[in-house]
Amino acid sequence: MTVAGVLLAAGTSQRMGRPKALLPYRGTTLLHHSAQTLCATSCSPRIAVVSPEIVKGCWQMKDVGVVLVVNPDPLRGLASSLRMALDAIESSAGADPVKGILITLVDQPLVEPEHLNAVVAAGAATGLAATSWPTTFGPPVFLYRSFFPALKDLTGDFGAKKILQDNADQVSLVAFPGAALDIDDAADYGRLLSGEKA
């Protein structure tokens, strides 16, 4: 099954005060690290949606197998980045059409390729899959192609989680406690650098 991999990295980073995607991490940036993680899966095509501000600092991305898609107005919210990713997927469709989409975020740096593969495998069985940790569930997520129209209909800062919640009986959950560390502010980033898991 052909699955597209999408890395969302166009957020405005208001709480951080500077672009999260370009924060240093393990000798590179969060964006580069997350792209490498995605590229260690079988997903194809692989797309990273970034903001105009971030794309200026993407010189390191030349050696990574992802297509950069620039969201010209990230203030329109997460849904606008998802629509741009879907448009890019449809325009790059080859002989083997994409049957599903894996969505991952730049601010979850503890996510590993093995977990992404597990989410895809779980989603292939049910059509929907998400990551779970002790308090809730969320990205990385997988959605079958039949949910693409619902993704395109999202607006504002609503992401795929809304679709998963609306179809909860169909969602396969794959546990990964490290996904709970979501880098939103300086305190989160400090925990990441100090090696804390959450």
Side-chain angles (χ1 to χ4, degrees):
M1 178 173 69
T2 302
V3 176
V6 172
L7 171 62
L8 297 179
T12 56
S13 305
Q14 291 178 335
R15 281 184 280 177
M16 180 65 69
R18 53 180 170 151
K20 289 185 286 186
L22 300 181
L23 290 173
Y25 183 59
R26 294 185 177 177
T28 180
T29 62
L30 285 183
L31 176 61
H32 192 260
H33 170 77
S34 298
Q36 287 179 314
T37 300
L38 180 59
C39 288
T41 72
S42 60
C43 290
S44 179
R46 305 178 190 111
I47 294 163
V49 184
V50 299
S51 69
E53 182 181 19
I54 291 170
V55 78
K56 296 172 187 173
C58 287
W59 59 272
Q60 287 180 307
M61 301 295 288
K62 293 178 181 177
D63 63 334
V64 179
V66 297
V67 175
L68 287 179
V69 173
V70 180
N71 184 342
D73 186 10
L75 291 174
R76 293 179 299 168
L78 183 62
S80 67
S81 289
L82 284 170
R83 282 195 299 276
M84 295 196 72
L86 289 169
D87 288 344
I89 289 168
E90 290 172 357
S91 66
S92 67
D96 192 10
V98 167
K99 299 291 179 61
I101 184 172
L102 173 73
I103 302 170
T104 187
L105 306 181
V106 74
D107 51 11
Q108 289 180 306
L110 298 184
V111 167
E112 301 167 348
E114 294 78 12
H115 175 66
L116 296 181
N117 288 330
V119 171
V120 170
T126 64
L128 293 171
T131 302
S132 66
W133 51 94
T135 55
T136 186
F137 73 90
V141 301
F142 171 92
L143 298 93
Y144 198 66
R145 186 179 186 88
S146 58
F147 291 98
F148 285 9
L151 281 172
K152 282 195 169 185
D153 285 342
L154 294 171
T155 59
D157 255 341
F158 286 106
K161 188 172 182 178
K162 184 178 187 305
I163 298 171
L164 298 170
Q165 290 171 329
D166 291 344
N167 299 273
D169 59 332
Q170 209 175 321
V171 179
S172 293
L173 295 177
V174 182
F176 189 79
L181 182 55
D182 183 348
I183 310 302
D184 279 333
D185 55 31
D188 295 332
Y189 183 49
R191 285 197 291 273
L192 172 68
L193 296 183
S194 70
E196 293 183 27
K197 297 293 183 183

